[in-house]
């Protein structure tokens, strides 16, 4: 008999990591290792939500943050094939971005 883990597709598996608020990693260098975009359950605030797996170079524990930032989601979708990459999450006025 097959095990579920043998046939489930990678994009259906949950992304592992300790949950961290995006505000706790502002202006720190991180390495993004994986992401997943799905429809947001808070449709009144945003259409999509991203789960982003990362680690800090000084501490290679897997962590994740969630964001509805359209800017970050667009950047991840555009440059996702370059993962893993080092970046910094910054806040400019009212939005978050990768720099």
């Amino acid at each position: 008999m097959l095990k579920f883990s043998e046939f489930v597709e990678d994009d259906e598996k949950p992304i592992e990591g300790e949950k961290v608020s995006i505000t706790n990693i502002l202006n720190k260098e991180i390495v993004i290792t994986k992401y997943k975009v799905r429809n947001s359950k808070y449709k009144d605030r945003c259409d999509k939500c991203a789960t982003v797996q990362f680690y800090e170079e000084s501490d290679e524990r897997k962590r994740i943050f969630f964001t509805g930032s359209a800017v970050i989601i667009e950047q991840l979708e555009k440059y996702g094939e370059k993962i893993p990459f080092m970046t910094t999450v910054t806040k400019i006025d009212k939005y978050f971005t990768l720099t």
Side-chain angles (χ1 to χ4, degrees), residues 20-32 52-56 64-67 69 71-73 75-76 85-92 95-99:
V20 176
S21 171
I22 194 171
T23 57
N24 290 342
I25 59 167
L26 283 178
N27 305 313
K28 294 182 183 178
E29 279 195 336
I30 61 171
V31 177
I32 294 181
V52 182
Q53 183 184 66
F54 71 96
Y55 66 87
E56 295 179 53
I64 58 172
F65 69 85
F66 301 96
T67 183
S69 168
V71 174
I72 290 178
I73 291 170
Q75 290 171 321
L76 290 170
F85 59 79
M86 188 176 292
T87 189
T88 303
V89 178
T90 57
K91 187 172 183 182
I92 301 173
Y95 67 89
F96 295 102
T97 185
L98 303 177
T99 57

Side-chain angles (χ1 to χ4, degrees), residues 37-74:
V37 177
R38 65 182 189 289
N39 291 330
S40 174
K41 48 185 165 177
Y42 304 104
K43 295 198 186 296
D44 55 322
R45 289 189 251 166
C46 55
D47 292 331
K48 294 180 180 180
C49 177
T51 304
V52 182
Q53 183 184 66
F54 71 96
Y55 66 87
E56 295 179 53
E57 279 205 311
S58 61
D59 178 9
E60 293 192 14
R61 287 184 296 155
K62 290 180 185 176
R63 298 184 179 156
I64 58 172
F65 69 85
F66 301 96
T67 183
S69 168
V71 174
I72 290 178
I73 291 170
E74 285 177 22

Side-chain angles (χ1 to χ4, degrees), residues 2-10 12-13:
L2 290 174
K3 290 184 178 182
F4 181 75
S5 61
E6 293 175 340
F7 61 83
V8 66
E9 295 182 22
D10 282 340
E12 294 176 353
K13 293 179 184 176

